[in-house]
Amino acid sequence: MKRLYTVFIPCICLLFICAAASAQNWKELAAPQKRTKWIQPSQGSPAQPVWGHANGLQVGLSPLPGPRGLLRIYTPYLGHQEAEVMNFIAFEPIVKRGDHRGLSELEMSTLDNKRGKRFWSANDSTSTIPAREDIPATGIIEKTAGAETLTVYVFSEAFDNGAIVYTRLRFYEDQPYEVEITTYTAPGSKDLDHFIVTATMGNYARLRDLYLQTGTVSSGTLWPGYKEDGFTAHAHFPVSSFIRDRNGVAYFIAAPNEKNPSVAAYASGTNDHWKYYGKKATQYWYSKNNNEKMEGLVNGRYAYWASQSPIPGGIAYENFELKAPFVQGNSYVFGISPLTANEFVKKIKNKRQ
């Protein structure tokens, strides 16, 4: 298979890019520029790669804190401090006639032999050549369907299964708690059956209830006896079970079952970065593609990732995602609302376009 990266960039350039991107502490990078509606990377010097709503949901990339190969989802409107990640989103493509997911967070990079696929940003869909992480694209502000939007593209190096993918992130001014993620393959990629973008850290907020047309489904009900330190098998829910708004858009919704998740008794030795603080929130997915084969998937964990520390209150959802047959340009929307789940469901049921 043709490898775009080695065809166009000499190895010495790749080494320079990798070294330059990792040489600085993220706090030494120029802070993002906050405007009336949008937050965007500073230009003209190494900068923190952050885009999104000035007073809403924001997305960041490495070298900001967290594992590489993941989008960072920030929710400062919930009372979170700078660079506090509410959730991560991984890229997980599955090639045709294959059952192995590419794992952007866990696979080794072929660019620098470090864990996590390298992501980079661009203002267009043609920037398949790896770029420095700390020289991020500005993003493009324009009018889309009558609303002002901020758009940026995020590319990944090739996956071990032969997938070469990228996404378009788009923020709409009238949807401050959402990001639209549109999925694509790049030239040279193997054909895909699926390109899953999965929210990977539901355990931080301790998501335990799914909200479906038939009522709530608890993680404790799905896996009542599970007390191991790995992931459970996925539970699958057809799109027909999702709650729909008045326009027929189907929402896959998850929320904590605790009245106040910021108050919890943690086991001795639990790392501080797992200790939730801030307001309670509702997380959700919906798709702009009407596909009857789409389904919602969740898995669970009893102990926090890479630890033996049990999660306060018992098993919680960890990966939270939509899965649909891959079509170039499929769009998925991820949101984190400051409303309670019941308030959010009531809102979308009354929603008009």
Side-chain angles (χ1 to χ4, degrees):
M1 182 182 67
K2 183 178 180 182
R3 298 296 295 273
L4 295 178
Y5 314 131
T6 54
V7 168
F8 290 106
I9 301 184
C11 291
I12 191 169
C13 290
L14 288 179
L15 291 173
F16 170 76
I17 288 170
C18 296
S22 61
Q24 292 175 294
N25 182 290
W26 70 273
K27 291 185 177 181
E28 298 173 349
L29 303 176
Q33 297 178 343
K34 187 174 182 179
R35 308 181 190 280
T36 303
K37 296 178 182 177
W38 307 114
I39 188 167
Q40 296 171 268
S42 178
Q43 295 300 292
S45 60
Q48 296 174 16
V50 181
W51 305 263
H53 299 278
N55 299 303
L57 186 144
Q58 300 161 9
V59 176
L61 298 177
S62 176
L64 292 169
R68 207 165 62 173
L70 296 170
L71 304 181
R72 291 106 167 87
I73 304 296
Y74 302 124
T75 50
Y77 52 92
L78 298 177
H80 295 159
Q81 298 175 1
E82 179 188 19
E84 179 68 35
V85 176
M86 179 63 162
N87 212 327
F88 291 104
I89 291 180
F91 295 178
E92 299 190 352
I94 303 174
V95 301
K96 278 193 176 296
R97 294 172 293 279
D99 57 5
H100 171 69
R101 290 191 187 209
L103 300 172
S104 58
E105 174 190 0
L106 298 179
E107 290 185 14
M108 300 300 291
S109 170
T110 59
L111 302 179
D112 59 10
N113 201 35
K114 293 182 179 179
R115 188 167 300 282
K117 292 301 185 184
R118 183 174 292 280
F119 289 177
W120 63 94
S121 60
N123 287 333
D124 59 57
S125 63
T126 64
S127 300
T128 55
I129 299 173
R132 282 178 55 169
E133 296 172 306
D134 61 351
I135 305 292
T138 58
I140 301 297
I141 297 173
E142 58 190 348
K143 287 281 187 178
T144 305
E148 189 169 292
T149 60
L150 171 62
T151 301
V152 65
Y153 291 81
V154 175
F155 290 80
S156 173
E157 64 175 293
F159 284 77
D160 296 352
N161 62 11
I164 308 175
V165 300
Y166 66 97
T167 61
R168 185 192 71 196
L169 308 184
R170 178 166 286 168
F171 304 87
Y172 291 81
E173 63 174 333
D174 56 349
Q175 300 294 335
Y177 309 127
E178 296 182 353
V179 58
E180 178 189 84
I181 306 172
T182 304
T183 56
Y184 304 91
T185 54
S189 176
K190 286 188 176 179
D191 293 337
L192 302 186
D193 275 338
H194 304 279
F195 180 0
I196 299 165
V197 283
T198 178
T200 69
M201 201 175 69
N203 284 176
Y204 176 58
R206 301 194 294 280
L207 302 177
R208 287 204 176 88
D209 284 340
L210 294 178
Y211 286 74
L212 303 172
Q213 287 191 27
T214 54
T216 59
V217 176
S218 165
S219 53
T221 300
L222 288 176
W223 307 290
Y226 188 88
K227 292 190 177 181
E228 299 177 27
D229 60 359
F231 293 97
T232 68
H234 281 100
H236 296 244
F237 299 88
V239 69
S240 59
S241 69
F242 294 4
I243 292 173
R244 294 179 182 266
D245 68 15
R246 298 183 68 168
N247 304 292
V249 177
Y251 287 74
F252 192 44
I253 303 165
N257 66 349
E258 302 165 54
K259 184 176 181 180
N260 183 1
S262 65
V263 178
Y266 294 89
S268 176
T270 301
N271 285 327
D272 286 344
H273 62 251
W274 288 118
K275 297 177 181 179
Y276 185 81
Y277 68 94
K279 299 176 183 177
K280 184 176 177 178
T282 300
Q283 302 191 31
Y284 60 93
W285 287 100
Y286 65 87
S287 176
K288 295 188 175 181
N289 317 299
N290 187 14
N291 192 314
E292 294 181 356
K293 293 183 178 180
M294 185 171 69
E295 57 182 353
L297 276 64
V298 287
N299 62 17
R301 289 188 65 88
Y302 174 78
Y304 287 115
W305 166 257
S307 80
Q308 300 291 317
S309 298
I311 299 164
I315 193 167
Y317 297 123
E318 179 71 322
N319 289 70
F320 170 55
E321 64 198 39
L322 296 179
K323 183 180 181 182
F326 176 74
V327 176
Q328 189 83 331
N330 273 355
S331 288
Y332 305 93
V333 176
F334 181 69
I336 302 181
S337 171
L339 298 176
T340 66
N342 288 329
E343 291 170 337
F344 181 75
V345 168
K346 183 177 179 180
K347 178 183 175 181
I348 64 172
K349 285 186 172 180
N350 294 322
K351 181 179 178 181
R352 291 183 182 272
Q353 294 289 5

